[in-house]
Amino acid sequence: MTHTPDDVASRGLRESATFDRTTIAAIQHAARTGIYDIRGGGAKRALPHFDDLLFLGASMSRYPLEGYRERCDTDVVLGARNAKYPLRLQTPVTIAGMSFGALSGRAKEALGRGASEVGTSTTTGDGGMTEEERGQSKHLVYQYLPSRYGMNPDHLRAADAIEVVLGQGAKPGGGGMLLGQKITERVAGMRTLPVGVDQRSACRHPDWTGPDDLAIKIGELREITDWEKPIYVKVGASRTYYDVKLAVKAGADVVVVDGMQGGTAATQDVFIENVGIPTLAAIPQAVQALQEMGVHRTEGGVQLIVSGGVRNGADLAKCLALGADAVAIGTAALIALGDNDPALDDEYRKLGSAAGYYDDWQAGQDPAGITTQDPELQQRLDPVAAGHRLANYLRVMTMEAQIIARACGKAHLHHLEPEDLVALTIESAAMARLPLAGTSWIPGQGL
Ligand SMILES: Cc1cc2nc3c(=O)[nH]c(=O)nc-3n(C[C@H](O)[C@H](O)[C@H](O)COP(=O)(O)O)c2cc1C
């Protein structure tokens, strides 16, 4: 006889918080197979997050703006510190780097289409630059990665900005995985790899060991691209205060901080859940570092892009209020393209998952045609329609952030400030350095 959870509870059985059913199943799986779990996505455990913050809308002491009549601008300029041609975007929501290989060529094309429709940027990834995405992306950021996969000096020149990746929030200190079933001839050719063999990408750049060497590398990248393009440095959130300072010292025009809720195409579950710090905790550290170096929201300063678990306009507005200049989204963009669509539930179940739970992006069997290299599955994604869905979602996010900003009396999204926010829990108040709602108490900063 099987027992439903209600039946079990009514019989007085109590689930252990330490050895809960998920933990027991994981131990049993390890014992049965001798294999650790590799998956896509970000941390699933409950962490202090944007939901733990609330905005203080204006009333008497602050003056709100009228939704349909008064402007609230959304544009952002990235990389004016050194670049001849900084990126000028219409919305501060950018598309994060996701590799061709992890994603199909059509998915990369759809990301480019959607981002371009709303005037924002998209980013290459571990697999290098594809024609589809360069062709469809008005603003394309080219990743320069520890793996050097797909590295091509012509592509550096063909890009609109360069992102030097030092780490990712899902796995700071670790590399990614690309399972053999995704390494088709095309993917193998772009990465100079054998077809069909599992690959682990490097956890650190072979070209430098510290910030002084990084400064030399950034100098080389600027020379190759004639000082035209902004240079970003991306770090996974861990010792964020120091990492941001070192990135700025090394010459970054833009720093990207990716928190531990950030998605990945594939890595070990134990890594995703146990390494790094939450996005919320990383933002104030990054902002403090930029402020102390005199480059936060100053003329010719360094912009901060934040990623890791950004889902909607409220999350966007909270990031900006805490001091970010823009956000980057990965997981949410894939969902907007059509990932985890309930209409595909039967097919997800055949793979041992379900719509809303499917994170086996490493496996290459995605029925939505997004995280796959299978020639038939790929055909299921219409890049034009998927691009429109992404554009709609990006518009909604931007409008949601405007709604909140106007309610706080701000005529530009960048006028949002920490003073507009309070925290719901002591943990989030301490990490975000905000007062606990209804008090003026910021934990760790006295009364
Ligand atoms: C399918 C997938 C592939 C990714 N590939 C890369 C990559 O090649 N390089 C990289 O720096 N980050 C990669 N990332 C991480 C994203 O750039 C970004 O940091 C993360 O997705 C942000 O968190 P979010 O997914 O919660 O929005 C990938 C993420 C996903 C979901």
Side-chain angles (χ1 to χ4, degrees):
M1 174 187 169
T2 53
H3 301 288
T4 62
D6 283 351
D7 162 48
V8 167
S10 70
R11 290 193 295 128
L13 297 178
R14 186 163 153 202
E15 183 167 5
S16 165
T18 311
F19 286 91
D20 61 5
R21 276 167 286 178
T22 313
T23 308
I24 291 172
I27 294 171
Q28 288 164 341
H29 182 261
R32 217 172 30 247
T33 61
I35 294 171
Y36 53 72
D37 192 17
I38 294 176
R39 65 170 174 88
K44 293 184 181 182
R45 62 197 286 172
L47 293 162
H49 197 38
F50 302 120
D51 288 339
D52 298 319
L53 306 185
L54 296 173
F55 279 99
L56 299 175
S59 55
M60 189 74 115
S61 57
R62 297 283 185 284
Y63 195 65
L65 299 184
E66 191 58 70
Y68 295 95
R69 283 188 282 120
E70 291 174 306
R71 292 174 62 159
C72 175
D73 293 331
T74 63
D75 57 305
V76 61
V77 179
L78 299 170
R81 186 187 190 196
N82 292 299
K84 263 187 241 168
Y85 305 122
L87 255 55
R88 296 178 189 282
L89 308 181
Q90 301 309 307
T91 171
V93 190
T94 65
I95 304 300
M98 291 185 273
S99 64
F100 167 68
L103 303 189
S104 67
R106 287 175 156 238
K108 291 299 281 177
E109 176 183 340
L111 291 172
R113 286 180 180 274
S116 301
E117 197 177 317
V118 300
T120 191
S121 61
T122 185
T123 313
T124 65
D126 240 311
M129 187 187 284
T130 64
E131 281 162 27
E132 295 95 320
E133 83 183 322
R134 177 61 282 185
Q136 297 303 331
S137 302
K138 186 153 185 277
H139 311 279
L140 181 60
V141 183
Y142 182 64
Q143 284 199 330
Y144 184 78
L145 293 130
S147 63
R148 289 197 186 132
Y149 286 154
M151 166 51 197
N152 178 335
D154 292 334
H155 289 167
L156 285 171
R157 294 190 198 100
D160 303 296
I162 296 163
E163 182 169 295
V164 178
V165 179
L166 297 190
Q168 281 177 238
K171 48 188 181 201
M177 325 279 269
L178 186 66
L179 299 192
Q181 56 266 42
K182 283 187 156 184
I183 309 189
T184 58
E185 265 179 39
R186 184 176 178 201
V187 173
M190 286 176 70
R191 300 187 188 212
T192 340
L193 290 174
V195 175
V197 179
D198 292 355
Q199 293 294 327
R200 199 188 60 79
S201 51
C203 66
R204 58 169 196 257
H205 276 268
D207 299 355
W208 64 82
T209 51
D212 293 341
D213 310 345
L214 175 59
I216 296 170
K217 180 54 70 177
I218 288 179
E220 281 173 18
L221 293 170
R222 284 200 200 286
E223 290 299 329
I224 293 172
T225 55
D226 206 13
W227 290 72
E228 288 180 350
K229 304 170 202 288
I231 302 205
Y232 302 9
V233 172
K234 175 176 179 177
V235 293
S238 56
R239 295 180 182 85
T240 306
Y241 170 77
Y242 296 106
D243 289 342
V244 169
K245 281 204 161 176
L246 292 171
V248 172
K249 178 86 183 3
D253 300 318
V254 175
V255 179
V256 183
V257 174
D258 191 29
M260 81 173 278
Q261 288 98 331
T264 172
T267 204
Q268 299 94 337
D269 177 80
V270 69
F271 215 125
I272 301 176
E273 296 291 352
N274 295 285
V275 184
I277 63 170
T279 310
L280 194 61
I283 305 175
Q285 288 195 17
V287 171
Q288 184 189 346
L290 296 177
Q291 282 170 342
E292 286 176 7
M293 295 184 87
V295 292
H296 184 246
R297 296 203 174 156
T298 54
E299 184 82 25
V302 172
Q303 285 74 48
L304 174 65
I305 300 180
V306 165
S307 57
V310 176
R311 304 155 299 177
N312 51 41
D315 292 352
L316 165 62
K318 289 170 188 176
C319 289
L320 301 184
L322 287 172
D325 297 282
V327 301
I329 56 166
T331 305
L334 301 188
I335 295 169
L337 293 187
D339 188 69
N340 272 288
D341 185 342
L344 297 170
D345 191 46
D346 285 346
E347 296 192 55
Y348 287 123
R349 281 175 193 274
K350 281 185 204 145
L351 298 172
S353 187
Y357 295 85
Y358 181 73
D359 56 19
D360 302 334
W361 297 337
Q362 79 288 352
Q365 297 170 306
D366 185 359
I370 296 170
T371 56
T372 181
Q373 299 301 317
D374 180 288
E376 280 174 25
L377 290 174
Q378 279 186 60
Q379 293 304 318
R380 293 183 175 192
L381 188 79
D382 173 351
V384 177
H388 281 313
R389 284 196 293 273
L390 175 63
N392 276 340
Y393 164 66
L394 293 171
R395 274 191 209 100
V396 168
M397 252 182 113
T398 310
M399 287 190 290
E400 285 176 341
Q402 284 175 300
I403 289 166
I404 288 174
R406 284 197 185 95
C408 294
K410 312 291 163 136
H412 196 293
L413 291 184
H414 287 141
H415 297 173
L416 286 163
E417 53 194 326
E419 212 189 78
D420 295 314
L421 289 170
V422 291
L424 278 172
T425 65
I426 293 179
E427 288 87 349
S428 57
M431 289 182 192
R433 305 180 190 175
L434 295 170
L436 195 62
T439 78
S440 54
W441 178 47
I442 303 177
Q445 298 193 6
L447 292 176

